[in-house]
Amino acid sequence: MRSKILGTGIYLPEKVMTNIDLEKIVDTNDQWIYERTGIRARRICNPEGGEFPTDMAERAAWQALQAAKLEPNDIDMIIFASVTPDYKLPNSASVLQQKLGMTNKCTAFDIATACSGFVYGVNMANSFIQTGMAKNVLVVGSEMLSREIDWTDRTICILFGDGCGCAIVGQSEDGEGSEILATHLGADGSGKEFFDQPVGGAVTPIKEHHLKEGTHFMRMKGGEMFKVATRTLADNAKVCLEKAGLSLEDIDWVVPHQANYRIIETTAKLLKLPMEKMIINIENYGNTSAATVPIAFHEAIADGRIKRGDIVLFDAFGAGLTFGATLFRY
Ligand code: UT7
């Protein structure tokens, strides 16, 4: 049994924070941020308005269900990718199952593979469908990174934003055309210190002094991440193409993780792919971790760029360091 993407959905918080807004908070400026990252604005959740990762996911999921012409109880597995879940316990996939009013007690679990999370989820969904263990899998990437950012650190707070994207992966009927062609997943723990958040876990529970020092927030070695990112994204593409027996010219669209415009540009150069084939929306939303790929994918479908039958590559990397790609005929 092969699988395909049946429908997608997104949710973005209403509140927009521009680079100009950031100039008032930290010592930065619009020109530096735009030139170094390609970002102009990001969205920020409103906690007072009940805007949290599973709330965003619920709204995105209704869109995806409508696009896939399915009811909530048709979903028999939820995979929720996030490094900023609503709670430590229970898992976000279970919370989402309840929010969608599902009564079928389907499998529901979270994965925390950072910015590769959605791609990990799609590839896992593909495997569950191939082995007959699931029929319709809801894969979500939803992040509220604004909670985990040190808003006094200009090297990190300018990069990230909140948002959610999701897709329903289901069975592909024989001869239909739309199908996942190749998948690739991996991790390289030797780079685990390039991007981490060591305080707040079992090893180092948050204490008052962490809160005072601000050492409980995410930390990143941007330069190291940049170097690994470009190499990884290019390698991901090559591995998937080889597995599928296709070449770079066969790709219609690449939906890369949106961490930095220059990373996407360098990857395109390494692969000798024209920038017109890269789906890019980092300008509007910054880096929303596990949500970047499904948001960019959904928008490109909605505005008519990506059409059924196109060959598309999801291509991601993230903290861990994790990486993954999905090559499919949409
Ligand atoms: O999702 C996966 C995780 N994310 C990534 O993989 C991101 C990968 N890394 C990057 O995107 C880039 O490395 C950054 C955007 C984070 C940084 O860009 P960069 O070109 O590597 O800049 P830099 O860190 O080398 O900093 C250059 C200069 C420094 O000043 P000096 O030392 O040259 O005087 C910084 O202090 O820019 C300064 N700077 C800033 N200036 C204005 C750093 N942040 C800012 C800022 N505004 N926000």
Side-chain angles (χ1 to χ4, degrees):
M1 178 53 70
R2 287 177 176 269
S3 73
K4 68 171 183 176
I5 294 180
L6 302 176
T8 60
I10 60 171
Y11 178 81
L12 289 148
E14 252 176 57
K15 185 179 171 189
V16 179
M17 183 184 269
T18 64
N19 293 349
I20 311 293
D21 296 328
L22 276 169
E23 286 178 5
K24 292 167 200 147
I25 302 173
V26 285
D27 178 18
T28 191
N29 58 81
D30 176 47
Q31 191 188 350
W32 190 97
I33 300 173
Y34 189 65
E35 280 177 10
R36 306 310 294 166
T37 70
I39 302 167
R40 286 260 193 233
R42 66 285 296 142
R43 301 295 179 93
I44 305 292
C45 283
N46 172 15
E48 284 75 38
E51 216 172 30
F52 297 106
T54 63
D55 301 292
M56 294 194 282
E58 185 203 339
R59 294 177 204 185
W62 285 117
Q63 266 185 28
L65 285 163
Q66 198 179 14
K69 298 187 180 66
L70 292 174
E71 296 297 325
N73 277 331
D74 296 327
I75 300 294
D76 53 5
M77 181 178 287
I78 301 174
I79 304 178
F80 201 109
S82 185
V83 287
T84 53
D86 287 21
Y87 314 106
K88 268 193 174 176
L89 286 173
N91 62 326
S92 295
S94 297
V95 175
L96 178 59
Q97 184 201 57
Q98 285 300 288
K99 286 192 173 166
L100 289 170
M102 295 171 68
T103 52
N104 64 2
K105 300 189 178 170
C106 73
T107 309
F109 60 94
D110 291 9
I111 48 175
T113 48
C115 306
S116 315
F118 176 77
V119 177
Y120 258 74
V122 168
N123 292 0
M124 289 162 77
N126 175 57
S127 300
F128 281 117
I129 290 164
Q130 278 182 337
T131 55
M133 285 178 70
K135 250 180 147 173
N136 297 309
V137 185
L138 173 60
V139 183
V140 179
S142 191
E143 302 280 13
M144 186 173 175
L145 293 157
S146 57
R147 282 285 209 222
E148 305 299 331
I149 287 167
D150 182 352
W151 287 99
T152 66
D153 180 355
R154 69 174 184 173
T155 67
I156 210 149
C157 71
I158 56 134
L159 297 169
F160 296 97
D162 301 337
C164 173
C166 71
I168 297 170
V169 184
Q171 295 177 331
S172 168
E173 308 303 328
D174 279 347
E176 210 179 8
S178 297
E179 59 181 334
I180 291 181
L181 301 166
T183 62
H184 174 53
L185 290 178
D188 177 4
S190 70
K192 64 186 189 309
E193 272 128 34
F194 292 169
F195 191 9
D196 63 6
Q197 191 174 7
V199 176
V203 175
T204 317
I206 298 187
K207 300 256 169 63
E208 215 175 316
H209 72 92
H210 295 121
L211 296 173
K212 275 192 198 137
E213 297 155 1
T215 43
H216 57 299
F217 292 117
M218 298 188 317
R219 314 180 298 189
M220 184 173 65
K221 294 192 171 112
E224 302 293 346
M225 284 301 283
F226 195 102
K227 274 181 262 165
V228 179
T230 48
R231 201 177 55 234
T232 305
L233 291 177
D235 287 349
N236 282 347
K238 288 177 194 158
V239 171
C240 264
L241 286 166
E242 199 181 325
K243 283 187 184 176
L246 294 179
S247 62
L248 280 159
E249 296 78 59
D250 294 315
I251 294 184
D252 293 305
W253 303 102
V254 178
V255 188
H257 171 48
Q258 318 275 317
N260 186 320
Y261 183 90
R262 292 184 297 128
I263 291 178
I264 299 173
E265 201 175 36
T266 309
T267 306
K269 269 188 202 142
L270 286 174
L271 293 170
K272 298 190 179 66
L273 279 174
M275 280 300 273
E276 294 72 47
K277 289 195 173 188
M278 313 299 276
I279 303 289
I280 306 174
N281 65 359
I282 190 167
E283 182 169 346
N284 302 326
Y285 310 125
N287 181 347
T288 56
S289 188
T292 67
V293 170
I295 293 171
F297 180 53
H298 176 91
E299 288 192 337
I301 295 168
D303 67 20
R305 274 175 294 169
I306 297 183
K307 297 181 187 64
R308 285 281 174 198
D310 287 353
I311 302 285
V312 183
L313 178 78
F314 289 159
D315 199 351
F317 72 96
L321 302 170
T322 60
F323 52 88
T326 318
L327 185 68
F328 59 102
R329 190 179 297 106
Y330 174 55

